[in-house]
Amino acid sequence: MTPQELNFAYKVRSALNENLDNLPASTAERLALARKSALTRKKKDSPLRRLAARGVFAGQVGNFFDQPLPWVGRMGILLPIIVLVAGLMGIYQCAQQERIREIAEIDALVLSDELPLNAYLDHGFNAYLSKRAE
């Protein structure tokens, strides 16, 4: 109840108490019946404690797929996964670029040297080049 409603109820109660002796018997009976009727329709007091329907621990949200999450909550889960995948792709691309740079460096060294054509036909030289490329 708001303070205004409570104040009005107190005023009505005090006015009824003052004139209680002057009320006719029929009015007093009607008021008693109205009071009994109001008390039967009054809501029961809700208990302060209630048993949990299932085992719930502090911080436990429950099954992820039981309750619908708002899109912000879903993005909160999806965003780190997207960042992780993007980071792994970036690491892979950097490794590939480094490998390409190393192969290009070997090719530049081989092409800048004046080697006889027989050096390219030598199997040991090819093994050396392939070992350096890895």
Side-chain angles (χ1 to χ4, degrees):
M1 290 179 112
T2 64
Q4 294 170 343
E5 291 172 341
L6 194 60
N7 190 19
F8 177 73
Y10 286 139
K11 286 181 182 178
V12 168
R13 185 185 71 178
S14 65
L16 288 174
N17 285 339
E18 286 175 8
N19 295 319
L20 185 63
D21 295 332
N22 299 337
L23 287 176
S26 62
T27 307
E29 287 178 17
R30 283 193 344 228
L31 285 173
L33 286 173
R35 183 176 189 281
K36 286 180 184 176
S37 173
L39 287 175
T40 58
R41 285 186 268 140
K42 181 185 173 209
K43 292 181 182 178
K44 294 182 181 179
D45 292 333
S46 62
L48 296 177
R49 286 185 257 163
R50 201 163 180 184
L51 293 176
R54 59 183 173 157
V56 178
F57 298 103
Q60 179 183 359
V61 179
N63 193 355
F64 177 75
F65 296 105
D66 277 352
Q67 302 167 354
L69 296 174
W71 68 273
V72 175
R74 289 189 181 133
M75 288 305 293
I77 294 169
L78 191 60
L79 189 62
I81 293 172
I82 291 172
V83 169
L84 177 68
V85 169
L88 290 174
M89 287 174 57
I91 291 171
Y92 176 76
Q93 289 295 327
C94 287
Q96 287 292 353
Q97 291 296 324
E98 182 67 28
R99 185 171 179 258
I100 290 171
R101 213 173 299 131
E102 288 174 357
I103 291 172
E105 182 181 337
I106 291 171
D107 287 345
L109 290 173
V110 167
L111 292 175
S112 66
D113 285 343
E114 293 182 15
L115 292 174
L117 291 176
N118 292 337
Y120 293 106
L121 297 175
D122 184 18
H123 294 292
F125 183 68
N126 287 332
Y128 169 75
L129 289 178
S130 64
K131 187 175 182 181
R132 284 280 306 228
E134 294 174 1

